[in-house]
Amino acid sequence: MKTTYRERGSKRIHVQYPIYYSNGTFQTIGVTEDFTQVGGRIRGREAVTVGMELVVIVIQPTPDIPMLVRRATVRWSKGHDFGIALSGVPPQSESELRAMAKVMLPGLWSCLN
């Protein structure tokens, strides 16, 4: 069996930031294990399946760095550990999402769909 080695486009950064994630049916929390601009590894409370679409909010450790609100697709899953590929949110939705994230997580999903 021939396998092709493909180097990652961006270097993984080991971080442990709190994260909220939702698929519209559930809203829960987890922690990032590593993170890049295009994805990351999450350990969460709710199991997810490959291909599932999520809204994720990564809470940064200092108030001067804004929280990261993005849409994500689950790329792999093993129990409560999973990997996500990040994509953006429409610019008109981003400020609304940030405001909503401060108040309630459940409304995030409906804002994008």
Side-chain angles (χ1 to χ4, degrees):
M1 171 166 43
K2 185 177 180 181
T3 59
T4 304
Y5 173 76
R6 196 176 103 212
E7 191 170 321
R8 288 186 185 276
S10 51
K11 184 175 168 74
R12 289 181 177 192
I13 302 167
H14 179 73
V15 293
Q16 290 194 331
Y17 298 153
I19 186 170
Y20 295 98
Y21 61 100
S22 172
N23 75 342
T25 304
F26 66 80
Q27 303 84 36
T28 192
I29 61 171
V31 66
T32 59
E33 295 291 316
D34 59 53
F35 221 68
T36 70
Q37 292 180 338
V38 296
R41 177 185 181 111
I42 310 297
R43 181 180 310 132
R45 286 193 176 171
E46 185 78 30
V48 296
T49 57
V50 173
M52 185 179 280
E53 294 288 324
L54 303 171
V55 172
V56 297
I57 303 170
V58 180
I59 307 300
Q60 305 286 351
T62 58
D64 57 326
I65 302 174
M67 69 181 145
L68 175 69
V69 180
R70 292 290 181 262
R71 196 167 203 153
T73 303
V74 177
R75 294 296 185 208
W76 61 267
S77 179
K78 185 176 181 182
H80 288 255
D81 289 345
F82 58 97
I84 57 171
L86 295 172
S87 56
V89 296
Q92 66 275 15
S93 297
E94 190 155 1
S95 61
E96 184 180 348
L97 286 170
R98 288 182 190 280
M100 210 174 278
K102 292 178 182 175
V103 179
M104 57 181 284
L105 184 63
L108 290 175
W109 184 259
S110 61
C111 175
L112 288 176
N113 293 305

